[in-house]
Amino acid sequence: QVQLAESGGGLVQTGGSLRLSCAASGRTFTVSRVGWFRQAPGKEREFVAAITWSGGTTYYADSMKGRFTISRDNAKNTVYLQMNKVKPEDTAVYYCAVARTPIGKYDYWGQGTQVTVSS
């Protein structure tokens, strides 16, 4: 199994920045890619960004490109989501998740961290 722990959420003003962290533990050698997702109240969970564990290839939802940056530190088994120029509509619970195959589903999830953007 892989355990995930998100941190770094909080209250930030519109236009500000925030960096989320996702620390992985357990059988991290099985990780193929790590993704960030978010879920706002009353809305479905949506994909934000993902990164491959070994090669560092990144993927973004179109609405996040240019504002959010995903990165990883393999030595620390940690994936980051740098959020810049945040907007009120970025308010959500942010989750990180792990997929163990290149095209497989995300099957391990963290507890989530709340991000609130004030206008």
Side-chain angles (χ1 to χ4, degrees), residues 28-110:
T28 57
F29 60 88
T30 65
V31 174
S32 176
R33 67 187 189 280
V34 178
W36 283 99
F37 296 78
R38 69 185 187 184
Q39 187 166 20
K43 295 187 177 181
E44 294 187 353
R45 186 172 59 199
E46 65 173 337
F47 170 76
V48 174
I51 188 166
T52 59
W53 193 247
S54 58
T57 302
T58 58
Y59 307 87
Y60 295 94
D62 288 342
S63 60
M64 319 299 174
K65 289 180 181 178
R67 296 194 301 123
F68 291 3
T69 302
I70 189 171
S71 62
R72 81 206 192 288
D73 183 335
N74 289 54
K76 295 182 178 179
N77 288 333
T78 300
V79 171
Y80 304 98
L81 183 69
Q82 178 68 41
M83 305 169 60
N84 296 328
K85 300 179 181 178
V86 295
K87 307 173 183 179
E89 50 263 44
D90 293 323
T91 295
V93 178
Y94 285 71
Y95 300 90
C96 65
V98 157
R100 292 178 290 166
T101 60
I103 58 173
K105 64 178 183 179
Y106 289 91
D107 49 7
Y108 292 110
W109 293 79

Side-chain angles (χ1 to χ4, degrees), residues 8-12 18 20 113-117:
L11 178 64
V12 60
L18 206 60
L20 307 183
T113 185
Q114 176 71 48
V115 172
T116 302
V117 182

